[in-house]
Amino acid sequence: MNLKAVQKVLAFFAVAAAFGFAAAQEPVRGGTLDVGLHVAVRSFDPHKAPNQGEGWVIGLVYNRLVALTPDLQIAPELAESWEQPDPQTLVFKLREGVTFHNGRELTSADVKYSLERILDPETGSTKRNNYAAIESIETPDEHTVVLRLSQPNSALLAHLASTSASIVAREVVEANGDLSAADGGSGPFLLGEVRADNSITLERYDGYFEEGLPYLDAVRMVPIPDNQARNASVRAGDTDLVTFVTANFISLLRGDTRVVIPAEEGSSGQFYALFFNNQVAPFDDPRVRRAIAMAIDRDLIVTVALGNEGFPLKAGPIPSWHWAALDPVYDEPDVEAAKALLEEAGYAGGFSFPIRVWSSQDFVLRTVLVLQQALAPLGITIEIDQQGDWVTYWSAVESGNYVATIQGIGGNVDPDQYLRERFSTGVGSNVTRYSNEEFDALVNQALLSADPAQRKALYDQAQTILTEDSPAVFLFNMKQTEAHRTNVHGFIHLPTLDLTSLKSVWIDD
């Protein structure tokens, strides 16, 4: 075994030990891992597909310049190193010998093409704005990429570590029109069979650049949107691993000797909120939105809906354990103050509104029941509109065809992803259609600074504006984890809810 291979094995077992995995067994090659997903996957194009389930597949088929470690530090991936000679320049040195699944070597030209494709408005990437600071891309040689920025951007590396910044093969895009049903990646797995029931088989790529990986022959993913059915499947052994073990099932699976909940269970960069369409009455009035924010009991929601397996969001969307969290604003419900705001807005008698929910999220339905009770003293009634199909449900929300909904927005690492990416004017991920010039200025200014203290002060101001305007009512940060059978080894839970650690997973009998 060469030095590089030894270092890789030692690094893997060091991470495994840090996260509570037994390192006594030698990894075994082969086998198929059956994974139960909580959502169906509709596209494999990393520059267009915005949803979590799609990101799970994309993260295994594609690579990015950089990646995130379990403790959310930036780590090398396609770029073996990088430097920042000045605040507006990033220089990446690419690994040599990396190949796409079609056998062609990945070079700096592919990085340039991929980033320019994301920035092209014609691509329709909802994440385009995250990379807007990239003014030009230079490729002085096949393994060097230079990004020239229009201004400093302290969040750019975190964005480059997301699946939306995957590096793709130009010829595959051009041959297929896009990558919605094609494989233009260099990742540990090839895109294999996609069946009519939306099950997806990923096959090991033997030319993957990390020596010896992946261990599995294949990963077979099948959507099981019903929470109870999905969790029952891993207990029965019908699946080897399931995603999105919601709070109310964590304790059940934790007590099952046939099942493992990974170390660091449930840590999640996802926030759940009651999102309003800010362009539809009565939610075009911030006084109405804030009245609702003031009237609800977030601690009660966490107890009733999550069985206390979560954290109430009593200010902005950033959870209390994050360095950029805002101090609590809503410690206790204030119904009288909420009534006064509604009267000022002309809704003293209350009103009724529909809330669109995805029916597979039973904890969301329980949350709505708590909200109904909390808002009744204000004369506000909620009509529940359950949607059974995720794609139909979320497509309507993305297009603005909704009044209110409760949903989790996840994969967040940097405050920029919690704030600017979700609530800035005109940003593709801003499903509320919220717009506030002062908020925009603050989150944009925060990108210019590399000083955490200065960024924290700016983000505190931005979150204060969000609590005052309440484009969404922030509810909770829910523990959210995966679960797998005891014969599955090497899986690491990531707060981004990423499944890229499947490249290091192996199974025994």
Side-chain angles (χ1 to χ4, degrees):
M1 183 179 289
N2 62 32
L3 177 60
K4 182 178 178 182
V6 170
Q7 289 173 331
K8 179 179 71 64
V9 172
L10 290 175
F12 168 75
F13 285 116
V15 171
F19 281 81
F21 297 108
Q25 295 173 274
E26 186 74 17
V28 176
R29 292 179 66 83
T32 296
L33 187 80
D34 286 302
V35 178
L37 302 180
H38 81 285
V39 291
V41 176
R42 60 183 179 180
S43 172
F44 304 108
D45 194 323
H47 302 157
K48 294 183 177 184
N51 295 326
Q52 189 178 74
E54 292 158 348
W56 287 329
V57 175
I58 290 165
L60 294 170
V61 175
Y62 292 85
N63 290 117
R64 298 146 285 188
L65 281 172
V66 292
L68 288 167
T69 64
D71 60 351
L72 301 182
Q73 299 301 306
I74 304 296
E77 191 161 285
L78 290 176
E80 62 182 6
S81 66
W82 64 91
E83 60 181 357
Q84 191 163 8
D86 62 69
Q88 292 177 233
T89 306
L90 279 165
V91 181
F92 296 91
K93 290 293 183 181
L94 302 183
R95 300 180 189 276
E96 297 186 22
V98 176
T99 59
F100 286 111
H101 296 158
N102 62 10
R104 179 176 67 77
E105 184 178 6
L106 186 154
T107 70
S108 57
D110 298 300
V111 176
K112 177 179 172 67
Y113 168 76
S114 298
L115 295 179
E116 288 179 344
R117 182 173 185 252
I118 297 167
L119 290 167
D120 184 353
E122 292 297 317
T123 302
S125 172
T126 60
K127 306 294 186 181
R128 175 177 175 268
N129 195 261
N130 293 344
Y131 310 98
I134 300 174
E135 193 169 60
S136 64
I137 305 167
E138 300 168 9
T139 55
D141 60 56
E142 288 193 340
H143 298 100
T144 304
V145 178
V146 181
L147 303 186
R148 305 288 184 188
L149 310 183
S150 58
Q151 60 184 29
N153 189 307
S154 55
L156 184 58
L157 279 173
H159 290 304
L160 289 172
S162 74
T163 55
S164 63
S166 296
I167 306 307
V168 306
R170 179 174 191 157
E171 66 272 22
V172 179
V173 177
E174 293 176 345
N176 293 276
D178 63 16
L179 296 169
S180 58
D183 179 346
S186 60
F189 292 93
L190 302 158
L191 181 61
E193 183 183 20
V194 180
R195 304 185 65 177
D197 64 355
N198 208 238
S199 64
I200 301 159
T201 298
L202 306 180
E203 301 168 356
R204 180 173 61 214
Y205 177 44
D206 289 326
Y208 186 55
F209 67 86
E210 292 189 71
E211 189 174 338
L213 297 182
Y215 297 122
L216 296 166
D217 288 335
V219 175
R220 185 165 49 232
M221 297 180 168
V222 58
I224 311 175
D226 182 82
N227 288 332
Q228 186 168 345
R230 190 171 63 260
N231 291 302
S233 74
V234 74
R235 298 183 75 190
D238 296 328
T239 55
D240 300 304
L241 182 146
V242 293
T243 64
F244 201 79
V245 177
T246 54
N248 50 309
F249 284 99
I250 289 176
S251 58
L252 176 67
L253 294 186
R254 193 188 289 131
D256 191 323
T257 58
R258 301 165 296 180
V259 176
V260 174
I261 296 284
E264 295 298 306
E265 65 177 47
S267 56
S268 166
Q270 190 167 44
F271 69 89
Y272 276 80
L274 170 58
F275 290 95
F276 303 117
N277 187 334
N278 287 201
Q279 296 181 347
V280 174
F283 300 123
D284 55 349
D285 190 326
R287 295 170 295 185
V288 174
R289 305 191 301 257
R290 189 168 192 194
I292 293 175
M294 298 172 74
I296 66 175
D297 187 335
R298 292 159 177 79
D299 290 311
L300 181 63
I301 291 174
V302 169
T303 297
V304 172
L306 307 182
N308 290 318
E309 298 279 4
F311 309 90
L313 294 176
K314 296 188 175 183
I318 302 179
S320 57
W321 47 261
H322 194 286
W323 64 266
L326 182 67
D327 290 339
V329 173
Y330 301 115
D331 278 320
E332 299 290 340
D334 192 339
V335 175
E336 294 308 312
K339 286 181 178 179
L341 269 180
L342 283 180
E343 184 174 359
E344 182 183 319
Y347 292 95
F351 56 88
S352 177
F353 72 94
I355 183 167
R356 179 167 292 182
V357 298
W358 185 34
S359 59
S360 292
Q361 294 178 315
D362 48 0
F363 61 93
V364 167
L365 294 173
R366 290 193 296 275
T367 300
V368 175
L369 295 178
V370 177
L371 292 179
Q372 286 176 322
Q373 187 175 31
L375 299 182
L378 305 180
I380 297 176
T381 58
I382 300 175
E383 304 159 2
I384 303 176
D385 173 19
Q386 294 193 49
Q387 301 288 313
D389 176 65
W390 165 261
V391 172
T392 302
Y393 157 70
W394 190 244
S395 295
V397 173
E398 286 181 313
S399 64
N401 184 25
Y402 80 107
V403 176
T405 189
I406 294 177
Q407 191 49 252
I409 302 295
N412 305 298
V413 175
D414 191 271
D416 186 64
Q417 294 167 312
Y418 283 96
L419 299 172
R420 186 198 56 79
E421 184 178 338
R422 310 303 178 184
F423 298 102
S424 280
T425 303
V427 173
S429 300
N430 181 358
V431 297
T432 65
R433 274 55 178 180
Y434 172 67
S435 179
N436 181 298
E437 291 183 0
E438 185 181 0
F439 173 85
D440 293 347
L442 286 166
V443 293
N444 287 330
Q445 185 181 351
L447 287 176
L448 303 178
S449 175
D451 179 6
Q454 186 177 20
R455 294 186 77 201
K456 174 71 164 67
L458 292 166
Y459 287 131
D460 279 356
Q461 294 179 60
Q463 288 182 88
T464 298
I465 291 172
L466 287 186
T467 62
E468 292 170 349
D469 283 355
S470 298
V473 174
F474 305 110
L475 301 174
F476 53 79
N477 170 248
M478 181 176 66
K479 287 186 179 179
Q480 184 177 319
T481 189
E482 302 81 18
H484 59 76
R485 301 287 293 182
T486 55
N487 67 328
V488 175
H489 306 276
F491 181 78
I492 300 172
H493 169 80
L494 298 171
T496 55
L497 309 180
D498 198 327
L499 293 182
T500 50
S501 72
L502 290 185
K503 68 183 179 183
S504 300
V505 162
W506 55 280
I507 52 179
D508 60 26
D509 295 332

